[in-house]
Amino acid sequence: MKQIYRNALSEVNAILINSNQNIINMIPNKFLDFVKNNMNQSYEIQIDLEKGILEQNISNEAKSIVALIYRDYICSSDERKILLEKEHINLKKREESERRKYEIKWKR
């Protein structure tokens, strides 16, 4: 695993350590074990308990992992449906943008 992701998992672990136990209980042990077993053990991160998650000085990769944890394990099923629909729409927009970028235009 690339070092950037191992560091991100260390950041995620630091956030989880400082999270409410009720939230941690929603996350499968298998996933928590994955984080602990793959994080960079020597990477030190300080979490500012006065700031929200998005305000923390953490990598975009860690923020993305936290967002996935929220979507897959913490939010309600209704909210999950909405988030997945938004992701699907954004993916389609990116794909269409890429298609236009490489579209061959024939001269007539």
Side-chain angles (χ1 to χ4, degrees), residues 71 75-87:
R71 183 198 70 195
C75 72
S76 70
S77 60
D78 290 337
E79 188 175 2
R80 183 177 299 114
K81 284 180 188 176
I82 292 168
L83 291 172
L84 289 171
E85 287 173 9
K86 286 180 181 179
E87 285 179 27

Side-chain angles (χ1 to χ4, degrees), residues 43-100:
Y43 186 73
E44 293 188 27
I45 177 80
Q46 296 295 320
I47 298 297
D48 184 347
L49 299 177
E50 300 297 318
K51 294 182 179 180
I53 291 173
L54 296 178
E55 299 170 310
Q56 298 292 333
N57 186 25
I58 60 174
S59 65
N60 287 332
E61 289 81 8
K63 289 178 183 177
S64 294
I65 295 168
V66 169
L68 291 173
I69 291 171
Y70 178 77
R71 183 198 70 195
D72 290 348
Y73 306 122
I74 298 171
C75 72
S76 70
S77 60
D78 290 337
E79 188 175 2
R80 183 177 299 114
K81 284 180 188 176
I82 292 168
L83 291 172
L84 289 171
E85 287 173 9
K86 286 180 181 179
E87 285 179 27
H88 181 71
I89 290 168
N90 289 335
L91 177 62
K92 289 290 186 189
K93 286 179 181 177
R94 282 194 308 270
E95 287 174 350
E96 183 60 32
S97 175
E98 287 296 311
R99 250 193 302 281
R100 276 192 235 121

